[in-house]
Amino acid sequence: MKNLLLSALAIAVLTFTSCSRDEDSDGNNNSITINPANFQGELLSGQSATLDPTQTYNLTGSFIVRAGATLTIPAGTRIEATGGTSSYIAIAQDGLLYVNGTSTNPVVMTSGNAVQAPSDWGGLVICGRANTNKGGSTGQTATSEVGDLTYGGTENTDSSGVIRYLRVEYTGAAFNGDKEFNGVSLFGVGSGTVFEYVQAYKSGDDGIEFFGGAVNAKYLIALHSEDDAVDFADGYSGTLENVFIKDVAKAGVEGSNNGDNGAATPTTNATLKNFTIVKGSLAGSEHGIYLKEGAGMWDCQNIYIDGFTKGLKIKNTTEDPNANTNVDNGNVTFNPIYFGASITTNSEYAGTNTSYMTTGTNTGAGNSGDTPNWATGWTTGF
């Protein structure tokens, strides 16, 4: 009877544990099997887990991939999250994420609520060791706004893994007005990370945001963002290429240097290539592109903006002297940029530099104001 009771207790423990562990012959933990019904917890150093694409994973809390651990998500895997701010996936420094979606079979992270809505859950958070000016100018670290994880450093070529063909939906749960999840938040992520073919759909805050780092990202879609669609800040240095934005409540693109010190170093140094920014059905209250909080250095090529009343937003020299100085000195350029018929003010910049932008007829993300061909098959909401 005693043995039967112990067996029953052991079965109960296994039933309510989110991860089961297999041990190598030398006693070191290695391969972890995730319970699809209760996806939460963490992977520790030396552990790895590969999800099963035939299962739907119910994310019921936070799941954190710690340093030295690896999470692999095959094509077609679906993760459904519930729990508001308590439910998110985070990759810590030195953790690795492999999202192996395809153009016909993406990985989908979405809301598990019966009636799906923006802000149903947190989102995806990735932390790396690349530069940020949030902690200082010589490689200091900072703590992520969401997830409370360390990020930043001096390793600009750092890798957090490979993310391809990922759709993140109904994210952006908020703790308060100053602390909110985005669709995907990249904190100090390095250029060794592959980040492409990613859609943020119906985020309650920003769609995709880069907090410092040096990752180069391409083929991005932000559709229905209830704050900004794509945001970069805090010394971000990289290239964002082939980006389609539509239905945005505030700015299509918001780019800044540092909210506490517009002159902070290392300075934001961003290249934007082949962007389509369409206001769509939401307010677009901060216009097509917002140069903010020092702005930094921008090289913008083949930009298409339509649906807003203003193309480029920038505060005056009194309110944001560093941003204006960067435009004055030729550190911000748009060559070429297209402003649609709805735009009555191309730019709020009122300084002396008359050559910082040239206008043209652009294709933007590939199809001017229409959905680009590369979005076919793996996206939603069009």
Side-chain angles (χ1 to χ4, degrees):
M1 184 68 179
K2 182 177 180 180
N3 288 338
L4 287 174
L5 179 59
L6 289 173
S7 297
L9 288 171
I11 291 171
V13 168
L14 288 173
T15 300
F16 288 100
T17 300
S18 62
C19 301
S20 65
R21 301 179 179 180
D22 296 325
E23 293 190 356
D24 295 333
S25 56
D26 62 3
N28 294 325
N29 292 327
N30 187 7
S31 180
I32 304 298
T33 301
I34 307 296
N35 177 4
N38 189 24
F39 182 20
Q40 63 173 315
E42 56 186 2
L43 290 178
L44 303 177
S45 180
Q47 297 178 342
S48 64
T50 299
L51 302 190
D52 180 353
T54 68
Q55 301 289 326
T56 296
Y57 286 81
N58 297 308
L59 185 69
T60 55
S62 63
F63 187 84
I64 302 173
V65 180
R66 299 290 183 183
T70 302
L71 175 64
T72 301
I73 308 179
T77 304
R78 186 176 178 88
I79 298 169
E80 297 184 352
T82 54
T85 56
S86 67
S87 184
Y88 60 93
I89 296 173
I91 313 303
Q93 283 184 325
D94 300 325
L96 290 170
L97 172 65
Y98 292 94
V99 174
N100 298 326
T102 68
S103 60
T104 56
N105 208 17
V107 169
V108 178
M109 300 178 181
T110 191
S111 167
N113 291 346
V115 178
Q116 297 172 316
S119 302
D120 275 352
W121 65 292
L124 175 62
V125 177
I126 306 173
C127 296
R129 292 188 174 273
N131 275 329
T132 172
N133 63 29
K134 201 65 176 177
S137 62
T138 57
Q140 290 94 333
T141 60
T143 301
S144 61
E145 177 182 306
V146 287
D148 295 323
L149 297 170
T150 299
Y151 73 97
T154 59
E155 299 174 29
N156 272 4
T157 60
D158 182 42
S159 176
S160 297
V162 177
I163 297 95
R164 286 194 177 102
Y165 291 107
L166 170 65
R167 204 166 74 225
V168 182
E169 305 173 350
Y170 304 105
T171 56
F175 294 93
N176 54 53
D178 298 318
K179 185 176 180 180
E180 299 170 289
F181 284 93
N182 305 298
V184 185
S185 303
L186 299 100
F187 292 92
V189 175
S191 63
T193 307
V194 174
F195 190 80
E196 57 189 35
Y197 297 101
V198 177
Q199 180 184 13
Y201 177 64
K202 291 204 171 182
S203 171
D205 194 53
D206 294 346
I208 302 171
E209 184 162 4
F210 301 83
F211 298 85
V215 62
N216 300 308
K218 56 186 178 181
Y219 302 110
L220 308 181
I221 294 176
L223 194 61
H224 188 110
S225 305
E226 298 196 347
D227 200 303
D228 308 311
V230 173
D231 196 336
F232 56 89
D234 302 340
Y236 170 73
S237 178
T239 297
L240 306 177
E241 184 174 2
N242 296 321
V243 178
F244 184 87
I245 292 164
K246 188 175 181 180
D247 296 335
V248 56
K250 290 188 178 179
V253 173
E254 181 179 282
S256 61
N257 187 45
N258 183 294
D260 301 314
N261 175 11
T265 58
T267 304
T268 291
N269 189 355
T271 298
L272 280 59
K273 299 172 65 175
N274 310 329
F275 272 61
T276 291
I277 306 168
V278 180
K279 184 183 80 68
S281 61
L282 301 182
S285 61
E286 293 183 345
H287 309 297
I289 297 178
Y290 189 0
L291 292 81
K292 189 177 182 183
E293 297 168 343
M297 297 181 288
W298 301 20
D299 176 9
C300 305
Q301 308 164 27
N302 188 24
I303 311 298
Y304 180 105
I305 303 177
D306 200 7
F308 304 86
T309 57
K310 296 180 181 180
L312 307 180
K313 177 179 176 62
I314 185 172
K315 292 182 178 179
N316 61 43
T317 55
T318 301
E319 295 178 282
D320 197 343
N322 296 109
N324 282 271
T325 297
N326 276 316
V327 182
D328 291 342
N329 293 341
N331 293 327
V332 176
T333 58
F334 295 87
N335 295 308
I337 186 168
Y338 169 84
F339 298 107
S342 68
I343 295 174
T344 56
T345 301
N346 288 353
S347 175
E348 292 183 335
Y349 171 71
T352 58
N353 186 346
T354 59
S355 61
Y356 74 99
M357 70 176 179
T358 58
T359 57
T361 303
N362 299 345
T363 57
N367 202 16
S368 298
D370 295 326
T371 306
N373 294 336
W374 49 262
T376 302
W378 60 279
T379 60
T380 192
F382 289 106

